[in-house]
Amino acid sequence: MIRRVLPHDLGRGLLTRRPGTRRGGFSLGKVEDDRGHCGSGLSPTSDCVSFRTRNHGPHWQDNWDGKVSEIKKKIKSILPGRSCDLLQDTSHLPPEHSDVVIVGGGVLGLSVAYWLKKLESRRGAIRVLVVERDHTYSQASTGLSVGGICQQFSLPENIQLSLFSASFLRNINEYLAVVDAPPLDLRFSPSGYLLLASEKDAAAMESNVKVQRQVGAKISLMSPDQLRNKFPWINTEGVALASYGMEDEGWFDPWCLLQGLRRKVQSLGVLFCQGEVTRFVSSSQRMLTTDDKAVVLKRIHKVHVKMDCSLEYQPVECAIVVNAAGAWSAQIAALAGIGEGPPGTLQGTKLPVEPRKRQCKPCPHLSLQQEEPDPANLEVDHDFFQDNVWPHLALRIPAFETLKVQSAWAGYYDYNTFDQNGVVGPHPLVANMYFATGFSGHGLQQAPGVGRAVAEMILKGRFQTIDLSPFLFTRFYLGEKIQENNII
Ligand SMILES: Cc1cc2nc3c(=O)[nH]c(=O)nc-3n(C[C@H](O)[C@H](O)[C@H](O)COP(=O)(O)OP(=O)(O)OC[C@H]3O[C@@H](n4cnc5c(N)ncnc54)[C@H](O)[C@@H]3O)c2cc1C
């Protein structure tokens, strides 16, 4: 705890917690052990610390107060980060209890928080805490995404999610309005996605469009002649068929959606805490399945949140944990013991989500087979664009010969290595951990529908509006891939 943050000499004899509080309330005082020796006053076995002080004269008190303020100044100058009185102010700590703890304050975590409050039976019925380790969102996928929304998926569930999101985004100020706050401007620019298929892929495109239309998306199919008429600047060589979104496709500002959700959920009473989830405290129970296989069921009781700029942590008791940690969600699953078991068993099945680096230039998406870039950093590989992307762009759209790159950035996909689709709903063995992750390249546009689905599952025990049962975790163990053919 906090003692570990301090250089040895400073920690000794100074920091105690007020008896009976686990939530901070640190106070400075001279601490003596039963033999009258000075000591840290921190019990090694308990978070709550008891101490005794002796009654000394006023001169001693002055001296001591002077020393204390000197030491406080010294501590402030040593601790990194912004200036705040870490020794007295506990407002940065999360609450001791919350019904739901959401790990990750990106678009998916916030959407779950929003729908939990929206669907709760009465105002204030559930306490929701969002834990986000980086409030600048410097590496979060949400802020680094392109902000595209498209309906041209091959799976009905993905199409339904994106159709719902389109209507959510169009009516954003009905959903996310906050009294006395200015309306949100998502800067939605409607523009259809144009997908091109060669002879080999034409039949698959046709069947995808059939599904898209059945679910309600407005997509047109074009022959090469029709394509040339509509977009005369495209070279149609090698194109057998094209599909084009007529409605509900385009681009919007991801940062605006994130901030709008944040503002709204705060107004609904959701608590935020800047800290990192580092540990779960759970209980386990051995059970036999109907086919006599032994499994261990776990239940998380507490989430340890390590506070920003320190090694201090706060345990938060909770009933439910939502894993919305994006590209890092497999680490959160591992903290809960998910995947710790013999290979090939449900117990030994890991969450197959990992960070995959993706680079963006503000120009059309182009699907290219590429070797996975090293995810260790988010530096842009400019040569990759020059050598691999630009030639294809210029071939398809000759005007792009003169293209100049003005800006570029990279971010992490929350990449599901199993089937590139989202993971939604509870874990079968850690029954109070729910997932909202793994959406690979389409988590931003699907966040409104996914948040609602997870909240339905938590509050009602089933998906009520869009049935996302194909996205449950169990598929990884059963080996049942739900392949989405149109991940961009
Ligand atoms: C370059 C790029 C382009 C993209 N383009 C699109 C697009 O056009 N359309 C689309 O729909 N999607 C797109 N995506 C995908 C989309 O951005 C993601 O699927 C989506 O943002 C995921 O949201 P999230 O909330 O799960 O993740 P994030 O936004 O990454 O949020 C997860 C948060 O969890 C926090 N966290 C992690 N571990 C901990 C911990 N232990 N304790 C506390 N907090 C923790 C992180 O700090 C992070 O802020 C793109 C992604 C990239 C990288």
Side-chain angles (χ1 to χ4, degrees):
M1 304 269 288
I2 199 159
R3 189 164 53 139
R4 284 181 286 150
V5 189
L6 303 171
H8 192 62
D9 289 352
L10 291 176
R12 275 175 67 87
L14 290 176
L15 300 175
T16 63
R17 285 188 152 187
R18 288 194 194 104
T21 65
R22 204 157 6 97
R23 185 189 167 155
F26 289 107
S27 60
L28 290 170
K30 185 177 182 184
V31 181
E32 293 180 355
D33 66 21
D34 285 346
R35 288 156 294 165
H37 296 136
C38 289
S40 71
L42 290 173
S43 148
T45 52
S46 161
D47 281 352
C48 304
V49 177
S50 62
F51 61 89
R52 296 191 307 138
T53 57
R54 281 212 183 140
N55 196 7
H56 298 271
H59 173 68
W60 177 87
Q61 187 64 49
D62 288 351
N63 226 343
W64 177 247
D65 286 350
K67 272 191 182 153
V68 165
S69 78
E70 210 175 281
I71 288 165
K72 278 167 98 179
K73 269 192 217 145
K74 209 167 182 183
I75 292 171
K76 272 190 184 171
S77 69
I78 288 167
L79 290 174
R82 66 187 186 285
S83 124
C84 61
D85 194 343
L86 288 175
L87 302 181
Q88 306 227 321
D89 177 12
T90 58
S91 60
H92 62 295
L93 293 176
E96 291 178 23
H97 312 273
S98 180
D99 298 312
V100 181
V101 174
I102 299 177
V103 189
V107 71
L108 279 163
L110 293 183
S111 176
V112 175
Y114 169 75
W115 284 104
L116 281 171
K117 296 308 284 180
K118 205 67 191 149
L119 300 179
E120 67 186 348
S121 54
R122 63 183 160 77
R123 186 90 197 248
I126 24 173
R127 285 167 299 177
V128 180
L129 170 71
V130 176
V131 184
E132 170 55 56
R133 66 180 172 197
D134 174 15
H135 278 211
T136 68
Y137 294 101
S138 59
Q139 299 210 327
S141 311
T142 302
L144 296 169
S145 84
V146 173
I149 175 164
C150 124
Q151 311 300 334
Q152 298 181 57
F153 291 102
S154 61
L155 285 173
E157 291 80 8
N158 282 334
I159 305 164
Q160 284 175 292
L161 282 172
S162 283
L163 279 172
F164 172 67
S165 291
S167 110
F168 185 95
L169 298 177
R170 282 187 188 285
N171 300 298
I172 192 86
N173 282 305
E174 280 169 35
Y175 286 103
L176 302 186
V178 171
V179 179
D180 287 341
L184 296 168
D185 178 10
L186 277 180
R187 289 188 283 163
F188 182 69
S189 41
S191 175
Y193 275 56
L194 177 66
L195 307 190
L196 307 178
S198 63
E199 200 66 56
K200 177 171 75 67
D201 299 320
M205 175 176 273
E206 215 169 334
S207 105
N208 289 344
V209 169
K210 202 170 162 196
V211 178
Q212 289 152 14
R213 287 176 179 166
Q214 275 166 358
V215 178
K218 301 228 170 8
I219 312 295
S220 81
L221 273 177
M222 287 184 275
S223 68
D225 278 347
Q226 289 168 317
L227 182 63
R228 256 190 306 273
N229 278 341
K230 192 163 176 66
F231 304 112
W233 36 267
I234 286 185
N235 170 5
T236 57
E237 192 190 325
V239 176
L241 197 61
S243 65
Y244 180 63
M246 311 290 287
E247 213 176 270
D248 290 337
E249 294 194 331
W251 283 265
F252 63 94
D253 177 356
W255 189 247
C256 178
L257 176 61
L258 186 79
Q259 293 306 322
L261 277 166
R262 209 178 145 117
R263 189 178 84 170
K264 180 67 182 179
V265 299
Q266 272 175 318
S267 78
L268 294 174
V270 169
L271 293 179
F272 276 80
C273 152
Q274 174 151 5
E276 181 171 5
V277 170
T278 53
R279 193 182 158 217
F280 297 116
V281 179
S282 14
S283 59
S284 308
Q285 205 185 355
R286 283 187 82 75
M287 305 278 282
L288 284 182
T289 60
T290 43
D291 48 351
D292 261 2
K293 287 193 180 127
V295 287
V296 179
L297 288 187
K298 282 194 172 181
R299 187 156 198 92
I300 299 170
H301 298 284
K302 284 182 192 166
V303 177
H304 280 199
V305 181
K306 184 170 92 59
M307 303 319 299
D308 193 32
C309 305
S310 90
L311 290 183
E312 183 189 5
Y313 71 85
Q314 168 78 14
V316 182
E317 269 181 72
C318 63
I320 287 187
V321 174
V322 177
N323 183 345
W328 304 274
S329 51
Q331 293 166 17
I332 298 298
L335 285 181
I338 290 169
E340 276 172 17
T345 63
L346 183 52
Q347 207 94 49
T349 305
K350 295 184 190 331
L351 177 69
V353 175
E354 61 183 40
R356 292 265 175 109
K357 184 171 164 182
R358 291 291 178 269
Q359 308 184 55
C360 287
K361 270 105 192 161
C363 61
H365 278 296
L366 193 69
S367 299
L368 285 175
Q369 295 297 334
Q370 64 169 115
E371 261 182 41
E372 277 304 329
D374 179 5
N377 62 58
L378 285 179
E379 276 164 30
V380 174
D381 176 359
H382 292 281
D383 290 345
F384 178 76
F385 178 79
Q386 201 78 14
D387 301 341
N388 301 293
V389 182
W390 196 359
H392 292 270
L393 279 176
L395 182 75
R396 192 54 69 204
I397 303 168
F400 281 179
E401 278 288 358
T402 54
L403 193 77
K404 291 262 179 307
V405 176
Q406 291 195 329
S407 66
W409 72 93
Y412 294 120
Y413 268 19
D414 45 333
Y415 194 86
N416 169 353
T417 57
F418 184 75
D419 58 15
Q420 291 83 63
N421 275 300
V423 191
V424 180
H427 187 268
L429 298 179
V430 186
N432 62 344
M433 174 171 276
Y434 287 69
F435 299 104
T437 185
F439 281 85
S440 307
H442 49 288
L444 178 79
Q445 64 186 283
Q446 300 196 329
V450 172
R452 184 177 62 175
V454 174
E456 288 169 355
M457 203 38 143
I458 291 173
L459 297 175
K460 321 275 180 195
R462 65 191 174 87
F463 298 122
Q464 288 189 308
T465 42
I466 303 177
D467 180 8
L468 294 186
S469 22
F471 291 173
L472 289 168
F473 181 97
T474 337
R475 76 184 191 273
F476 305 132
Y477 164 63
L478 298 173
E480 290 170 356
K481 288 190 184 191
I482 41 160
Q483 204 69 49
E484 171 54 64
N485 303 324
N486 284 350
I487 299 282
I488 297 175

